[in-house]
Amino acid sequence: AGGLLLRERYLSFVAVAPTASRGRAHLELYRAVAEGEVDQDAQGSPEEGSRRGRWGAGLAEIRAAELDVGDAAFAEGVARELAEALLEDPSLGDDVEIEDVAYVARVFGKNSFSFEGEDGRSNEVIFRTISRASHSCAPNATIREGPSRSESLLIAVRDMRPGDPVNIFYLADQCLLKSTASRRAAIQEEWRFLCRCDRCEAELDHTRAFCFECSCSARGFVFA
């Protein structure tokens, strides 16, 4: 446990402005990807996420990486959100290929690591390898910042053997303490799937065992 599994530079790092709906967010994300890479000088500035734009791979290279884009239900959800945004303002679809917009929304929706940026912007980061890690509410690995913003570290949090699947927790670390119902609801809302990991399927969640002691000095555990 605690061993470094992988140190990896991002495939694509995209900083986007806040939007009023998911459909508009899909369009904003696509435009940031399609507009071209942010110019960087010899010193590497502007730093990733310091302004709206894209660093790293564009659409063609992202497609070539063949990352997961979700199932039919995920695709239907993205299509519905785009349709709602375009119904509100048809001009949002000017000069874009909706199929490309949907693809970018799906590949980032299934693979990106998101964190808040400056001025309310959202930073969306995908990796060729790290993004292929599966989800579990009892993860055996975690993602941590690397020595620079361009790199991240995949670190084992449990002993692992060659061939073991790498599972990370898609939500924020503090959500590991939440109930199964709360975790499942958050995963369903963001990634559109019902978590069926061993912890969620277990009759009792031993991670949420709370010790108690009553006035008669009896002790026990409550599972919540």
Side-chain angles (χ1 to χ4, degrees):
L4 177 64
L5 299 174
L6 180 66
R7 173 176 170 177
E8 185 177 27
R9 179 180 173 80
Y10 60 75
L11 172 63
S12 190
F13 186 120
V14 185
V16 292
T19 55
S21 70
R22 278 194 168 188
R24 288 174 179 264
H26 298 331
L27 288 153
E28 163 68 6
L29 177 64
Y30 169 76
R31 292 186 189 281
V33 169
E35 284 173 4
E37 188 171 10
V38 172
D39 291 331
Q40 293 184 299
D41 58 27
Q43 285 70 45
S45 66
E47 184 183 44
E48 292 90 341
S50 61
R51 47 156 287 189
R52 177 189 177 280
R54 165 176 64 83
W55 290 257
L59 181 56
E61 193 173 350
I62 292 171
R63 282 187 181 276
E66 298 184 338
L67 294 170
D68 181 28
V69 293
D71 58 15
F74 191 79
E76 289 171 4
V78 168
R80 182 172 59 253
E81 291 159 356
L82 282 171
E84 290 171 355
L86 294 173
L87 184 62
E88 292 177 359
D89 184 355
S91 68
L92 292 172
D94 292 348
D95 302 322
V96 300
E97 292 290 338
I98 295 302
E99 189 276 333
D100 286 341
V101 177
Y103 172 80
V104 169
R106 292 172 65 189
V107 76
F108 273 84
K110 294 297 292 185
N111 298 283
S112 72
F113 297 87
S114 305
F115 61 97
E116 186 175 345
E118 300 173 14
D119 301 325
R121 289 190 299 274
S122 174
N123 293 322
E124 306 290 336
V125 188
I126 57 175
F127 299 86
R128 293 182 188 276
T129 303
I130 290 177
S131 289
R132 300 180 194 274
S134 299
H135 163 79
S136 173
C137 295
N140 58 13
T142 187
I143 308 297
R144 290 294 180 260
E145 293 182 2
S148 69
R149 180 164 282 196
S150 66
E151 292 183 321
S152 289
L153 308 177
L154 181 63
I155 299 173
V157 296
R158 298 184 183 185
D159 291 335
M160 299 173 65
R161 296 172 298 181
D164 284 349
V166 177
N167 297 317
I168 61 175
F169 186 57
Y170 284 3
L171 301 171
D173 288 349
Q174 58 266 30
C175 294
L176 283 165
L177 299 177
K178 292 187 176 182
S179 68
T180 296
S182 295
R183 297 193 313 274
R184 278 181 158 174
I187 291 291
Q188 183 74 55
E189 171 67 20
E190 185 65 27
W191 287 278
R192 309 174 207 258
F193 70 88
L194 178 66
C195 181
R196 296 191 179 278
C197 69
D198 290 344
R199 182 182 172 193
C200 284
E201 294 286 85
E203 184 175 349
L204 293 176
D205 186 353
H206 292 276
T207 306
R208 286 173 52 81
F210 297 91
C211 180
F212 72 90
E213 181 176 354
C214 72
S215 58
C216 65
S217 297
R219 295 182 178 183
F221 292 93
V222 173
F223 296 92

